[in-house]
Amino acid sequence: ININKVTVFPNPTMGESWLLFTADSNEETEVSVWSAQGKLISTSRLKIYIGENQFALPDLSGNPVGVYFIKIKLNGELVSKKVFLIR
């Protein structure tokens, strides 16, 4: 997968955001959300399909304002994207 084709939107967010990417194969994967301080916020197992995929990420509105990292394993590669939580 091309890392540039993985998008988190809206970014910045006030809480709710989505993960959008194109997959080359059908597979199960894990998506995790981490704070800038290295604290695991959530982990989800997802079934992805060949082509365009879109998933709702956990609502971050109850967390402190700042940078969060969305990490997803695709085709054996770990992709990390930043999302900015604002008020």
Side-chain angles (χ1 to χ4, degrees), residues 51-67:
E52 194 170 282
N53 291 264
Q54 181 174 314
F55 296 101
L57 293 168
D59 189 337
L60 293 173
S61 61
N63 292 285
V65 169
V67 177

Side-chain angles (χ1 to χ4, degrees), residues 2 7 12-13 15-18 20 26 29 31 38 42 45-46 49-50 54-56 60 62-63 68 73 75 77 80:
N2 183 337
T7 304
T13 181
E16 294 182 6
S17 55
W18 295 79
L20 177 67
N26 294 333
T29 191
V31 175
S42 73
R45 300 256 339 137
L46 300 176
Y49 300 95
I50 293 173
Q54 181 174 314
F55 296 101
L60 293 173
N63 292 285
Y68 291 83
K73 294 176 188 171
N75 303 330
E77 182 180 354
S80 181

Side-chain angles (χ1 to χ4, degrees), residues 14-28:
M14 294 184 78
E16 294 182 6
S17 55
W18 295 79
L19 181 66
L20 177 67
F21 59 90
T22 302
D24 299 331
S25 62
N26 294 333
E27 61 183 283
E28 280 194 26

